[in-house]
Amino acid sequence: MIKGFIFDLDGVITDTAELHYEAWKKLSDEMGWHFDRELNEKLRGISRMDSIKVIMDHNRVSLTDDAVVALSTKKNDIYVASLDTMTPNDYLPGAKELLTHLRQEGFLVALGSASKNAAKVLQQLNATHFFDVIGDGNSVAKSKPAPDIFLYASEKLKLQPNNCVVFEDAEKGIDAAIAGGFHSVGIGPAERVGHAEVRFDSMKEATFFEVKSFFSE
Ligand code: B16
Ligand code: MG
């Protein structure tokens, strides 16, 4: 029986990918590194430190650990400043409606994001009140595809993984949900999230009634 829902943030509740792209692009331009939208796609759902490693590997660059931390901090400062432009109009279509409906129906709801800036994003959206538990990049050490962030969220909700549905837009996010024994909903194309139990092209299609039809016994 489904009692709780765990939502990824970027790509499910809101589209911060564009702001991440602009911040990585600015850093890369300064460093003389190649960075484009195709490479940005590879950063979907993975942590900041994993992201900079992907960009450096792509550019065949190797730096000291301290230098890598300094550069990822620089990118983060650019990204965090850009979050000030985000407003309660920036939910992905359908996301706010689903969250509202789930709360009305009495389901428990958690966030399970890789982002260390999730609290600020939720604040900008005025979405904090939708969540009983906030699991983010500060909650666990191992990032997706490890299931740790979703296990953290379900433990805090006091639910078993098989009583929870995870919503994810990233391939590695669905990997994490499956590894933890959760039900999964993939948001996006089959090439990316086709291994989820249920898939929708976007959150607009993921209405409460659609979701309910897949998971009610
Ligand atoms: P931060 P999610 C992820 O968010 C993003 O998709 C990913 O591109 C980003 O690198 C990661 O958060 C870490 O974000 O730098 O803010 O800690 O999809 O897990 O909500
Ligand atoms: Mg995501």
Side-chain angles (χ1 to χ4, degrees):
M1 191 188 175
I2 301 303
K3 296 177 181 165
F5 287 81
I6 304 173
F7 287 89
D8 175 55
L9 182 61
D10 174 30
V12 172
I13 306 289
T14 185
D15 188 17
T16 42
E18 189 58 27
L19 300 177
H20 281 294
Y21 168 78
E22 282 162 18
W24 283 124
K25 180 72 181 147
K26 191 156 187 224
L27 179 78
S28 298
D29 286 350
E30 275 179 40
M31 297 302 291
W33 295 346
H34 172 258
F35 185 72
D36 59 14
R37 287 183 191 276
E38 201 183 324
L39 193 53
N40 193 50
E41 253 313 291
K42 300 207 169 107
L43 312 183
R44 190 180 280 271
I46 67 171
S47 71
R48 196 182 314 155
M49 290 311 285
D50 287 346
S51 299
I52 195 164
K53 281 175 200 148
V54 168
I55 299 169
M56 286 172 56
D57 283 353
H58 179 85
N59 283 276
R60 297 174 206 277
V61 172
S62 162
L63 294 168
T64 62
D65 289 353
D66 286 354
V68 176
V69 169
L71 289 175
S72 69
T73 303
K74 195 168 176 185
K75 177 266 171 181
N76 191 53
D77 291 344
I78 301 168
Y79 173 67
V80 171
S82 73
L83 289 177
D84 287 336
T85 62
M86 188 174 254
T87 74
N89 293 324
D90 289 322
Y91 284 88
L92 278 168
K96 189 177 178 184
E97 291 75 5
L98 180 59
L99 288 167
T100 304
H101 219 141
L102 289 172
R103 298 306 313 226
Q104 279 168 357
E105 297 290 327
F107 287 99
L108 292 170
V109 176
L111 189 80
S113 165
S115 176
K116 293 190 171 174
N117 300 301
K120 163 119 179 146
V121 173
L122 292 182
Q123 234 170 13
Q124 294 292 126
L125 289 172
N126 193 18
T128 313
H129 63 99
F130 283 124
F131 298 91
D132 299 293
V133 166
I134 292 176
D136 63 16
N138 306 296
S139 309
V140 294
K142 273 208 248 162
S143 47
K144 303 164 192 175
D148 301 31
I149 186 63
F150 299 136
L151 291 170
Y152 171 88
S154 62
E155 270 166 35
K156 291 265 171 191
L157 290 177
K158 298 193 171 61
L159 294 178
Q160 294 300 317
N162 67 356
N163 296 131
C164 301
V165 180
V166 168
F167 272 69
E168 255 293 346
D169 69 308
E171 183 179 353
K172 287 194 169 71
I174 296 295
D175 293 343
I178 293 170
F182 294 87
H183 294 280
S184 58
V185 172
I187 302 298
E191 307 87 82
R192 198 169 77 208
V193 290
H195 53 320
E197 206 173 321
V198 176
R199 189 191 67 80
F200 296 104
D201 287 333
S202 75
M203 284 297 283
K204 222 173 9 184
E205 287 80 47
T207 62
F208 176 73
F209 295 105
E210 274 294 317
V211 172
K212 200 178 158 200
S213 72
F214 284 106
F215 294 105
S216 52
E217 286 147 343

